[in-house]
Structure formats: structure tokens, C-alpha cells
Amino acid sequence: MAGAEGVRGLGPDERDGLYERARELSQRQDAWAEADRLWVRVIEAYRQAVRDPGRADRRDQQQLARALWRRGMLLSAHGRSAEGMAPGGEAVAIFERVYDAVAAEGGSVTGPPRDGALAELITALVDLAEIAFSAGQPATRRDLLDRAVAVGLTAVGDPPSAGRRTREAMGTAYHNQATALLHRHLTRPSAADGAREAALAASRACELRQQLLDVTRPLSFWEMANTYGVYAQCLVLIRDFDRAAMVLALGNRFVQELGSAGEQPAQNLRVAAAMLARERGEPAGPRRWGWRRR
């Protein structure tokens, strides 16, 4: 059922139906095993569809990459991150080819075709980086995040002027890069410039995410608050205490608005507040904002 026999001769609608079913199952933790088996079938179906390069449809190539990416993420969530590296890496390679083909056709980098293709490539690199980290490969994580940022900068030059989807992807890339650099600095304090590098990445993430705030998209406020928490920690480490306090105040305002949905950003901000209090020799004080651990 999982092999080629189960998918031979499937048409576009049938392939897409299998893809959507696998995606739905992936959202249910109790159905992860079934979802993984179905992703194997979905991937094989799209492999067959793109087997002839001369007749391959670009959307089928994108769907193959998306299926590989989603399977890699599912394997990682299922505690099989080392196995998730292969499909995740193949997805990146296909997304890269798709973007190169789209870019070769010209058109504005902010237009939907290039913006979407570039955003998917950056996102796939960022997610593969987190799979690598879960697989116990922090150095590979940093390398992949560096590559994600470099891909975006090479394509658009100035991230704030990129298309919306690319800016969202770049905001995540910079945020995760800051998190990775912060982790390295805290676990290997001998990396002298680590905290400054992390602070710079977090600052860039803040710039992009501030531009993307949208009251119709609550996730944008969650992302902003989360980045403020990481940025505040970085600022404390480089001893920019006044700016750290300002960022904490901004982040706390977002957390209050988010309520119970802001648990993860609240945790990052609480860590930063404790760091700041410790460095200033002040008591950490009570949990004035009612933050809860996740």
C-alpha cells in the first residue's frame, strides 16, 4: 500500500486529495503513524508525476517538495528527527530549483510567484535547521539558518522591501538565528561575539516583525512578543540594560493582550526579566504579570 502499487496512475485531483488527507492527519497526534504512512504514498505519487523532466508540472514539483518538507517535520515531531533530515534536505533542494526557475522568468521579487517561491525555500531551510537541532546537531542548525538568511539577502537585498511572504519567512529566519546564537553563547560562553551576533539577528527580526503586525493576524503579535523576549535576553548579555528594560516593557504589553495564548512569549520575557534583575542586583520580584510556565 505504501509503495508505487498504491499510487500508480493517480491524476492531479487524486494526488491533491491524498496530500490534503495526509496534512489533516498530521495535525492529530493520535494519527501521526497513519499520517506518516500516507505521506510515503503522497511522495511517491508526486515523484511519479515529475519523473519526466520534459513534462513535469511546476506545481507537482512544489507539491513534492511540500510533501517531503511536511514528512520531515512530522518525523521530527514524532521523535525521529535524524530520519527527518533526509526528506527535509530533499525538500530544500527541490524548493531551490523551483525558485531558480521562477526567478529566471523575471518579474518583481515582490510579485506573488517569486515572493511565494522564495518564502517557501527560506521556510524549508529554517525548519530543516530546527530538525537538525532536535537531532542533536546545533552546528548544522546554525549553518542552515545562516544559509536561509543568505538566500533571502541574495534574492532581495533589503529584506524590509521584500514581498510579504518573504518578510515573514525572513523574520522567522532571523528570530531562529538569534535563538541559535543565544544558545551557543549560553552553552559556550567563550564565543566572545556570540551575544552581539545574537542581538543583531534579534534586532533584524524585530524590524521585520514590527512591519508585519496586523490586527487580523493574531499570530503576528505572538511572533513579535516572542522575538522581544529573545532580544531582551541578548541585550542583557551585552549589558545594554536600559534598552533591555524598554524591550521587556513592549513585550509585556503584547503578552497582556495575548492572554493565555501568549504563554511561550511570556516565558522568554520572564527569563529576560530575571536575567536583567540579576545583572542589576535587583530582586526578581513577584510574577506581576501572571506569567505561566508552558
Side-chain angles (χ1 to χ4, degrees):
M1 182 110 174
E5 290 298 325
V7 295
R8 180 173 292 127
L10 292 185
D13 290 344
E14 292 172 302
R15 293 194 294 270
D16 288 353
L18 277 181
Y19 179 96
E20 287 304 318
R21 177 59 178 160
R23 190 175 64 83
E24 291 168 6
L25 290 172
S26 296
Q27 296 171 2
R28 291 171 33 200
Q29 191 168 350
D30 64 337
W32 277 355
E34 184 181 354
D36 185 42
R37 289 192 295 271
L38 190 52
W39 279 126
V40 172
R41 294 184 61 204
V42 171
I43 290 166
E44 180 56 31
Y46 283 108
R47 283 199 198 284
Q48 290 191 21
V50 303
R51 194 150 286 161
D52 181 353
R55 300 175 59 188
D57 181 85
R58 180 174 296 162
R59 185 176 180 281
D60 283 331
Q61 293 176 319
Q62 291 174 313
Q63 286 290 89
L64 173 58
R66 290 163 184 157
L68 286 161
W69 162 65
R70 288 185 180 278
R71 182 168 189 244
M73 295 290 287
L74 180 69
L75 287 169
S76 182
H78 210 15
R80 298 161 61 190
S81 296
E83 293 178 58
M85 291 293 293
E90 186 179 355
V92 165
I94 298 172
F95 278 130
E96 192 166 31
R97 290 198 296 272
V98 168
Y99 175 71
D100 288 345
V102 172
E105 294 172 356
S108 170
V109 73
T110 62
R114 287 186 66 179
D115 182 36
L118 180 58
E120 285 196 305
L121 171 56
I122 294 169
T123 299
L125 280 163
V126 169
D127 288 341
L128 182 59
E130 297 313 309
I131 293 174
F133 185 63
S134 295
Q137 302 176 38
T140 300
R141 176 202 203 186
R142 293 192 299 271
D143 290 344
L144 286 164
L145 290 169
D146 288 348
R147 184 178 164 194
V149 169
V151 163
L153 292 176
T154 300
V156 303
D158 180 29
S161 65
R164 183 176 186 85
R165 289 187 61 186
T166 297
R167 281 181 283 140
E168 290 173 356
M170 287 291 286
T172 302
Y174 277 128
H175 172 92
N176 287 26
Q177 185 181 50
T179 302
L181 291 169
L182 178 62
H183 175 267
R184 182 182 66 178
H185 180 76
L186 293 174
T187 55
R188 290 172 45 203
S190 59
D193 297 326
R196 291 196 177 278
E197 292 174 4
L200 181 59
S203 174
R204 289 169 173 163
C206 284
E207 180 184 9
L208 286 168
R209 289 186 161 177
Q210 284 165 352
Q211 292 182 348
L212 292 164
L213 289 173
D214 182 349
V215 293
T216 67
R217 184 173 169 266
L219 178 62
S220 67
F221 289 86
W222 187 97
E223 291 173 336
M224 188 75 259
N226 206 34
T227 294
Y228 277 144
V230 173
Y231 189 29
Q233 292 178 49
C234 296
L235 289 170
V236 172
L237 290 172
I238 64 174
R239 307 191 69 76
D240 192 344
F241 299 147
D242 289 343
R243 185 172 298 180
M246 178 187 70
V247 170
L248 275 169
L250 290 170
N252 179 55
R253 192 177 307 162
F254 279 93
V255 163
Q256 287 179 321
E257 291 295 326
L258 288 166
S260 61
E263 292 182 14
Q264 180 58 48
Q267 172 64 11
N268 278 334
L269 288 159
R270 195 166 76 89
V271 170
M275 290 170 62
L276 180 60
R278 184 167 60 249
E279 290 298 321
R280 282 180 161 176
E282 302 168 352
R287 296 183 185 179
R288 290 169 288 177
W289 303 290
W291 292 339
R292 296 179 293 167
R293 289 185 181 273
R294 195 172 191 176

